């Protein structure tokens, strides 16, 4: 497989600073840099600086925030800003993760404002899109994903939109043990790229798959040419397991 791959680890509410440093130490013992892949880690906010420092010598590793606010500062208790992320070594941010949308009420409009803010800050946004089980069963997958993506693309210049990374993460597959069949995920990825092209986005947007990915199913997903990498939660929490996954697809 000659194309470059992107592997993103979303630690969610796991790994305080000391645990993050221990993870980084073990992971770097197991995984050497490779020209054909980029590695991203999204630790909880309190561990962002420790994680960035632990990987500081690895040009192939980038660290980002799980969640940001679109304003640079203000009376927004509990939020973190993009200048704060940059100040502690962060290089990007997840936007619109399904848990932010469905547990905390983040809207398409808010996700779009965050995408624009991350791009304006010259950091990397990874925009998450995906449908619920009810929406899937109703045959609305493309409509839902299209709505979420369109909200973000509508306000962007095509050259800015070309800097996006998209993560397709069907809500029904996250943390459930259910995973989309590679061919089904690939069909959604094609739809995402078709929609981006309709907005004038040049080139090929990188599109990742996320949702109950593990060492047993990752290779089958990566074999699909439409799948450019993986966004992984639970299986990224152990350095040995994550090292195994990021070594796949060679």
């Amino acid at each position: 497989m000659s194309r470059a791959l992107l592997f993103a680890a979303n630690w969610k509410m796991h790994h305080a600073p000391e645990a993050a440093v221990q993870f980084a130490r073990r992971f770097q013992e197991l995984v050497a840099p490779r020209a054909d892949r980029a590695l991203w880690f999204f630790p909880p906010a309190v561990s962002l600086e420790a994680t960035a420092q632990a990987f500081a010598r690895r040009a192939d590793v980038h660290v980002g925030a799980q969640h940001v606010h679109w304003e640079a500062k203000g009376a927004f208790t509990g939020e973190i800003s993009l200048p704060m992320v940059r100040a502690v070594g962060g290089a990007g941010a997840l936007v619109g993760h399904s848990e932010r949308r469905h547990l905390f009420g983040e809207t398409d409009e808010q996700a779009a404002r965050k995408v624009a803010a991350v791009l304006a800050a010259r950091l990397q946004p990874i925009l998450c899109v995906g449908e619920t089980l009810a929406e899937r069963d109703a045959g609305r997958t493309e409509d839902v994903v299209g709505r979420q993506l369109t909200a973000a693309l509508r306000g962007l210049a095509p050259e800015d939109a070309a800097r996006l990374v998209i993560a397709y993460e069907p809500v029904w597959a996250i943390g459930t043990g259910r995973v989309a069949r590679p061919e089904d995920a690939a069909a959604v990825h094609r739809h995402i790229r078709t929609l981006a092209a309709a907005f004038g986005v040049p080139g090929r947007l990188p599109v990742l798959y996320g949702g109950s990915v593990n060492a047993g199913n990752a290779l089958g997903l990566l074999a699909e040419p439409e799948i450019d990498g993986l966004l992984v939660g639970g299986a990224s929490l152990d350095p040995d397991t994550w090292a195994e996954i990021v070594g796949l697809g060679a």
Side-chain angles (χ1 to χ4, degrees), residues 12 14 26 31 53 58-59 100 108 110 165 174 178 180 182 186 207 215-216 228 238-239:
K12 305 189 181 183
H14 300 276
R26 173 61 177 165
V31 177
Q53 290 179 349
R58 289 285 296 261
R100 298 304 312 176
D108 293 343
Q110 290 171 332
V165 172
I174 296 172
R178 299 179 59 184
V207 185
D228 298 319
D238 174 75

Side-chain angles (χ1 to χ4, degrees), residues 1-54:
M1 187 176 299
S2 60
R3 75 190 191 281
L5 297 174
L6 191 158
F7 294 84
N10 177 14
W11 287 350
K12 305 189 181 183
M13 201 166 69
H14 300 276
H15 293 335
E18 182 178 352
V21 171
Q22 292 174 352
F23 182 109
R25 184 179 300 118
R26 173 61 177 165
F27 182 81
Q28 291 178 94
E29 291 173 353
L30 298 169
V31 177
R34 290 178 50 169
D36 65 343
R37 60 205 54 204
L39 308 177
W40 278 83
F41 288 88
F42 294 92
V46 296
S47 299
L48 207 162
E49 183 171 21
T51 308
Q53 290 179 349

Side-chain angles (χ1 to χ4, degrees), residues 1 8 10 15 30 38 50 56-57 73-74 100 103 142 144 148 155 161 167 171 187 204 209 213 216-217 220:
M1 187 176 299
N10 177 14
H15 293 335
L30 298 169
R57 296 186 179 183
K73 59 182 178 180
R100 298 304 312 176
L103 296 180
E142 290 191 358
V144 172
Q148 294 168 341
V171 180
R204 171 188 166 106
Y209 173 79
V213 175
N217 59 36

Side-chain angles (χ1 to χ4, degrees), residues 50-159:
T51 308
Q53 290 179 349
F55 283 114
R57 296 186 179 183
R58 289 285 296 261
D60 61 318
V61 175
H62 311 278
V63 177
Q66 297 176 13
H67 167 67
V68 293
H69 198 279
W70 55 83
E71 295 289 351
K73 59 182 178 180
F76 303 105
T77 301
E79 297 289 333
I80 60 172
S81 71
L82 289 158
M84 291 174 180
V85 171
R86 184 189 293 278
V88 296
L94 294 178
V95 177
H97 189 278
S98 66
E99 290 160 2
R100 298 304 312 176
R101 294 179 187 269
H102 295 283
L103 296 180
F104 300 100
E106 184 167 311
T107 66
D108 293 343
E109 179 186 7
Q110 290 171 332
R113 294 181 72 177
K114 292 177 185 182
V115 164
V118 177
L119 289 170
R122 307 305 297 177
L123 298 178
Q124 177 63 59
I126 296 183
L127 173 66
C128 303
V129 297
E131 81 283 12
T132 65
L133 181 59
E135 290 165 339
R136 176 183 174 82
D137 288 344
R140 297 184 56 226
T141 295
E142 290 191 358
D143 290 341
V144 172
V145 170
R147 186 200 76 222
Q148 294 168 341
L149 183 59
T150 295
L153 293 177
R154 188 181 293 119
L156 299 178
E159 61 271 20

